[in-house]
Amino acid sequence: MPRVMLQRILYIIKVYVVFVLAFVLAKPAFMVYQTNAQPFTFGDVWQVIRHGLSLDLSTALYFILLPYLVVMVSAWWPSRKVLGSILKIYYAIAALVLSLAFVADTSLYEFWGFKLDASVLQFLDGTGHATDSVSTGFVVVRFVCFLAVAALLFFVLSRIRKPFLATRSFAPSYPRTLENPRSSLLTTILFLLLIPLLVVGIRGGTSVSTTNVGQVYFSQNQFLNHSAVNPVFSFLASFGKSTNDIPDYHFFPDEQLPRNLFSTPQGSVSRCITTIQTPPTPPNVLLIIMESCGGQFTELGGNAHVTPNLTRLAHEGIYFTRCYANSWRTDRGMLSIMSGYPALPKTSIMKMPSKVRTLPSIARTLQREGYKTAFLYGGDANFTNTRGYLLSTGVETIVSEDDFTSEQRGSSKWGVCDSIAFDRLYEMAVPYPSPWFLTFLTLSSHEPWTVPMPTKFQDEKLNAFYYLDLCLGRFIERFRKTEAWNHTLVVIIPDHGIKYKDQDETKEIRSHIPMIWTGGVVDGPQRIDRLCNQSDLAATLLGQLRMKHDDFTFSRDVLSPDYTHPFAMHTFPEGFSVVDNTGFNVYDLNSQKQTVGQSQNAIQLGKAVLQITADDLRNR
């Protein structure tokens, strides 16, 4: 084999090894960063590297395609000035891309609990709130790390010798002094013959199954599985599946799909609310959506001392003890609450204007019955198309951070802190013309967990939820003294839970949330132990108000005698969980395996719900 041909092959191998080593070394770095929340052993690190290597090897092949082409061209035109510059620019870009992927993946995992994918793009919507969850110091440190990793990777790549390139500017006679045309032709033929091997390597073999994230899963511990996943591949694999696309969940032939899963026909229900006005008029409805306040931070998770006011209200009013969040983010949870619509793993329906216009909503239904409708949020109502969704679904008045003073807007990283926003809620609710439907989304119990109160708990998250509970308790006591309280139903429900300590998507408490009804129209304390989702609020509420809910085809009246299929389903980017009479079950869509629980029927049910929901959304 000609010496220069060998040099070219060795060069490509060296570049390939550098990219593979970068992916391999990123894994222990990722794990060490998460060690406080996710303990592991040295043996776990080895297993992560070993099982993740196949995906790293495939992904690294993408990054050598351009160098491969440049080396082929150099057999006929070995210009250091041109080809060397192309390689240098490419390595700079590749180093920046890989560094960004490594730092973003490592930093975001502690908040999201899943690997970097295209869903991150939906938060880069130009509102400027993408970094509101973290402090300035957090961003600065990550930016420095990003630059350092990129500089190191670029230095290593650019220092690999390129003896096959000319040492002076290209001249027509130069190739003849470097290698003869026969050698150049052999080099070209060899590199062309190797292309199918590259394709097979990228594809992950010659079988029907191609390279995928699930191939590196090896443990019942999802953190170890996630650690093995290559973040660049995870992002690229999901990039073609935009968060605004409707996935095709085709698990069953249409004729095999179960029917009447969500059917609770209009009829007689157990009345939990009363009307004391003369003449009787529909009660006001105040919906308080608590940011991130899952059952982990209430008595459901053994933390009644963190949210004592919520605990008291639960036992004074109607307490739905087995309610579960439909999803993991505010834009999905809020839509499930207000439109009674299930959530899909990676699709933000709220960001699909052509679809949200077709959805039912509590606001629109009540508006048709003569209610005034309003929405209050201390942050930016444009984030994730919230304003567009609200206006499309019957909300007449939107009050957001723009309606507060500049001093008030500076009270929280996300906008206006909850204590100030609850004061505005009181001002809106008390004189508001009856009947009204008013929704309030809190914001202080969110990363970076900074709240304007003395430290109660050393754990900043517990402290933030204690502050939320304090603000809620003060508002309720103040509102209780007004005449409006006697004519109002107050519904308190979180938008979602969060990943807290080891409470990830494989733990039931992660999606378990409280739903509490209180207010002057509540007919005494009552405990509802039926399984349900937050998406069932719409039909259940309208059933109590004696209003039709036929257009809420995915919302069930939990208090109806026809509620005969109790189950709750929760989705997250990598899969879903189902709670039914068999217990808690989790299915991973990447590996296509059940990771928690034993009930195949529950998993089949979850698959059916995904397929039915996606088909319904696609046809709207």
Side-chain angles (χ1 to χ4, degrees):
M1 179 181 293
R3 181 173 60 88
V4 179
M5 183 190 299
L6 180 61
Q7 289 174 340
R8 289 189 172 94
I9 294 175
L10 289 176
Y11 177 78
I12 292 297
I13 292 174
K14 289 177 182 178
V15 173
Y16 179 62
V17 168
V18 170
F19 280 116
V20 172
L21 285 177
F23 291 137
V24 169
L25 294 175
K27 288 175 169 52
F30 172 87
M31 298 175 73
V32 169
Y33 182 84
Q34 316 291 341
T35 188
N36 289 334
Q38 304 284 352
F40 58 89
T41 66
F42 179 79
D44 291 332
V45 177
W46 165 245
Q47 292 296 327
V48 163
I49 292 175
R50 183 169 72 88
H51 286 89
L53 187 59
S54 64
L55 204 53
D56 295 336
L57 293 173
S58 293
T59 308
L61 288 173
Y62 286 100
F63 286 87
I64 68 166
L65 293 179
L66 182 62
Y68 192 88
L69 178 61
V70 168
V71 172
M72 281 183 62
V73 172
S74 72
W76 301 95
W77 190 49
S79 171
R80 179 175 293 276
K81 181 177 181 181
V82 178
L83 300 183
S85 296
I86 290 175
L87 287 174
K88 185 173 292 187
I89 293 172
Y90 173 72
Y91 291 147
I93 295 173
L96 290 171
V97 169
L98 264 62
S99 179
L100 179 61
F102 295 154
V103 174
D105 178 54
T106 302
S107 301
L108 291 174
Y109 186 82
E110 65 176 311
F111 302 115
W112 290 5
F114 63 89
K115 294 295 281 186
L116 184 71
D117 68 12
S119 63
V120 69
L121 299 178
Q122 68 180 290
F123 299 104
L124 303 178
D125 57 2
T127 61
H129 288 277
T131 59
D132 281 353
S133 296
V134 295
S135 65
T136 302
F138 182 97
V139 175
V140 170
V141 170
R142 271 72 188 170
F143 184 70
V144 171
C145 291
F146 159 67
L147 292 179
V149 173
L152 176 62
L153 187 55
F154 174 71
F155 175 79
V156 173
L157 287 168
S158 61
R159 296 295 292 179
I160 301 176
R161 290 185 67 247
K162 311 170 188 63
F164 51 87
L165 292 183
T167 56
R168 59 185 175 85
S169 298
F170 169 71
S173 62
Y174 190 80
R176 293 189 180 91
T177 65
L178 184 64
E179 55 184 313
N180 57 49
R182 179 175 177 274
S183 175
S184 298
L185 181 60
L186 289 175
T187 299
T188 302
I189 293 174
L190 175 63
F191 272 67
L192 288 174
L193 290 175
L194 290 175
I195 288 177
L197 293 180
L198 293 178
V199 174
V200 171
I202 290 174
R203 190 178 182 278
T206 58
S207 64
V208 175
S209 177
T210 59
T211 302
N212 61 85
V213 170
Q215 75 185 42
V216 304
Y217 281 33
F218 68 97
S219 172
Q220 292 297 309
N221 184 338
Q222 284 294 81
F223 169 68
L224 299 182
N225 293 331
H226 293 163
S227 298
V229 172
N230 185 296
V232 177
F233 183 87
S234 177
F235 181 82
L236 292 175
S238 65
F239 190 78
K241 303 171 184 177
S242 166
T243 53
N244 288 344
D245 288 344
I246 303 172
D248 184 17
Y249 295 111
H250 192 73
F251 299 106
F252 313 99
D254 290 344
E255 62 272 14
Q256 292 183 14
L257 287 172
R259 306 297 175 186
N260 300 322
L261 286 177
F262 300 93
S263 177
T264 50
Q266 204 82 29
S268 60
V269 298
S270 302
R271 291 281 288 176
C272 296
I273 61 175
T274 60
T275 302
I276 62 173
Q277 295 167 285
T278 305
T281 59
N284 305 317
V285 179
L286 172 57
L287 173 60
I288 300 177
I289 303 176
M290 301 185 296
E291 172 65 54
S292 304
C293 190
Q296 307 140 295
F297 308 102
T298 73
E299 68 171 13
L300 295 174
N303 282 316
H305 62 294
V306 176
T307 50
N309 290 300
L310 204 61
T311 301
R312 176 175 52 81
L313 291 171
H315 295 286
E316 290 177 356
I318 305 169
Y319 186 19
F320 295 80
T321 63
R322 303 192 69 193
C323 184
Y324 290 79
N326 286 80
S327 190
W328 60 285
R329 295 296 291 187
T330 300
D331 57 322
R332 293 96 188 276
M334 198 172 102
L335 186 139
S336 291
I337 293 170
M338 300 183 71
S339 288
Y341 205 79
L344 294 172
K346 290 189 177 184
T347 303
S348 178
I349 302 174
M350 185 176 281
K351 298 193 72 174
M352 305 171 72
S354 63
K355 299 298 182 181
V356 296
R357 289 195 299 267
T358 70
L359 295 179
S361 73
I362 298 173
R364 181 184 290 124
T365 298
L366 294 183
Q367 184 186 43
R368 291 169 180 164
E369 297 292 332
Y371 278 68
K372 295 294 183 180
T373 58
F375 178 87
L376 168 65
Y377 177 52
D380 184 358
N382 294 314
F383 196 48
T384 64
N385 194 43
T386 301
R387 185 184 299 275
Y389 163 73
L390 294 172
L391 293 176
S392 297
T393 54
V395 175
E396 300 165 328
T397 303
I398 300 174
V399 178
S400 64
E401 63 177 356
D402 294 334
D403 299 293
F404 292 82
T405 66
S406 58
E407 181 180 359
Q408 290 172 327
R409 289 197 297 271
S411 61
S412 170
K413 187 68 179 288
W414 281 88
V416 180
C417 67
D418 284 348
S419 56
I420 296 174
F422 266 109
D423 286 342
R424 177 62 66 88
L425 178 64
Y426 178 84
E427 294 170 2
M428 293 176 65
V430 173
Y432 214 61
S434 295
W436 48 256
F437 173 58
L438 177 56
T439 302
F440 172 46
L441 173 63
T442 71
L443 60 67
S444 291
S445 49
H446 194 289
E447 303 101 349
W449 313 110
T450 54
V451 292
M453 61 165 282
T455 300
K456 172 71 174 179
F457 299 95
Q458 291 304 312
D459 186 314
E460 59 183 3
K461 294 180 181 179
L462 298 184
N463 207 56
F465 289 107
Y466 182 83
Y467 169 73
L468 167 63
D469 182 78
L470 184 66
C471 295
L472 173 66
R474 288 175 176 173
F475 166 78
I476 292 294
E477 290 310 305
R478 188 181 179 193
F479 188 44
R480 195 190 298 268
K481 298 174 183 177
T482 69
E483 179 62 24
W485 170 268
N486 296 325
H487 314 306
T488 302
L489 171 65
V490 181
V491 178
I492 305 170
I493 188 171
D495 53 356
H496 56 80
I498 62 169
K499 181 179 180 293
Y500 178 65
K501 296 183 177 179
D502 67 340
Q503 297 167 354
D504 58 17
E505 296 290 3
T506 64
K507 307 297 191 302
E508 184 175 350
I509 192 63
R510 171 70 171 81
S511 56
H512 195 180
I513 61 173
M515 180 165 67
I516 300 165
W517 293 12
T518 186
V521 300
V522 169
D523 190 17
Q526 189 170 349
R527 182 184 177 101
I528 309 296
D529 294 323
R530 289 186 172 187
L531 271 171
C532 63
N533 271 125
Q534 60 190 176
S535 54
D536 295 320
L537 169 63
T540 306
L541 172 64
L542 294 175
Q544 289 297 301
L545 297 177
R546 302 185 188 279
M547 297 179 187
K548 291 184 177 180
H549 52 79
D550 298 343
D551 50 342
F552 292 85
T553 54
F554 290 95
S555 185
R556 305 162 298 182
D557 186 346
V558 178
L559 300 176
S560 168
D562 296 310
Y563 182 50
T564 55
H565 297 286
F567 70 90
M569 183 168 170
H570 170 83
T571 64
F572 53 97
E574 296 168 331
F576 62 85
S577 60
V578 175
V579 183
D580 62 4
N581 57 9
T582 68
F584 178 68
N585 303 271
V586 180
Y587 184 80
D588 186 274
L589 289 168
N590 289 330
S591 62
Q592 299 181 24
K593 295 179 181 178
Q594 183 169 357
T595 57
V596 178
Q598 302 295 325
S599 174
Q600 288 298 310
N601 289 336
I603 299 304
Q604 296 296 88
L605 173 63
K607 289 179 177 180
V609 172
L610 284 186
Q611 183 171 334
I612 292 169
T613 304
D615 289 347
D616 178 86
L617 186 63
R618 191 177 295 107
N619 294 327
R620 284 184 175 272

